[in-house]
Amino acid sequence: MRWQRALLALLKERKDQSIALAIDTSNRPSRPVLIQNIIKLFEKLRPDTLLVQADFKIRDVSPVGVATLKYFKHGKSSYTEVLEWAAAQKIDTLFYITDVTGYFYEELEVNYEVFWLVPDDYMPRVPFGKLIRVA
């Protein structure tokens, strides 16, 4: 329950900032209900949030309340395109639901906050930003 309070506080603290929620769709998650509940939380607290669905490329960007998730089975994931998109859109804070097994270009500059929401018991190292285990 701690992660829910932490996420709730982060969203409330950023009420005047632009935020986005990205989801790694390269594999079907082990906890799809958990992912849906996170999306509903964003929809309720920040209905202006854009939901980015991506695997090795961005598949869809839509408002959090109207998006329909589609997962793929290839397991390839790259964070580069989403991170570049967030910079181009001037996103202040990016929340990324992923297992953190994807890759990105090392030279990429990230000048905004990134929170990696990991829906597994495994706690990987994140390349930058902050990790929140949502399991």
Side-chain angles (χ1 to χ4, degrees):
M1 288 292 206
R2 266 189 4 205
W3 70 264
Q4 290 100 328
R5 285 193 294 272
L7 189 54
L8 184 64
L10 289 169
L11 290 173
K12 286 181 177 180
E13 289 167 6
R14 286 151 184 79
K15 66 179 179 175
D16 297 325
Q17 295 181 0
S18 62
I19 65 169
L21 175 63
I23 298 181
D24 176 357
T25 58
S26 63
N27 276 319
R28 184 139 183 87
S30 59
R31 298 180 172 137
V33 172
L34 174 64
I35 306 297
Q36 286 298 332
N37 287 337
I38 293 170
I39 292 170
K40 287 177 186 175
L41 178 66
F42 275 80
E43 182 181 355
K44 186 170 186 135
L45 294 176
R46 291 295 306 267
D48 59 329
T49 301
L50 289 176
L51 180 68
V52 182
Q53 297 181 60
D55 46 24
F56 58 87
K57 66 179 183 176
I58 292 176
R59 300 287 183 164
D60 183 63
V61 177
S62 54
V64 72
V66 300
T68 301
L69 292 180
K70 181 178 180 187
Y71 293 100
F72 298 87
K73 295 180 182 180
H74 51 70
K76 296 178 187 174
S77 183
S78 170
Y79 306 126
T80 302
E81 199 170 320
V82 174
L83 295 170
E84 290 175 337
W85 172 88
Q89 296 298 312
K90 299 187 181 351
I91 298 296
D92 295 312
T93 304
L94 175 67
F95 295 89
Y96 211 130
I97 301 173
T98 181
D99 58 7
V100 196
T101 59
Y103 62 92
F104 66 96
Y105 294 129
E106 297 279 331
E107 302 82 32
L108 189 66
E109 284 191 41
V110 177
N111 299 319
Y112 51 87
E113 279 187 306
V114 177
F115 289 95
W116 304 93
L117 307 178
V118 179
D120 291 316
D121 292 326
Y122 170 68
M123 292 290 287
R125 270 186 59 199
V126 294
F128 50 83
K130 296 178 182 152
L131 181 136
I132 299 175
R133 189 174 74 188
V134 294

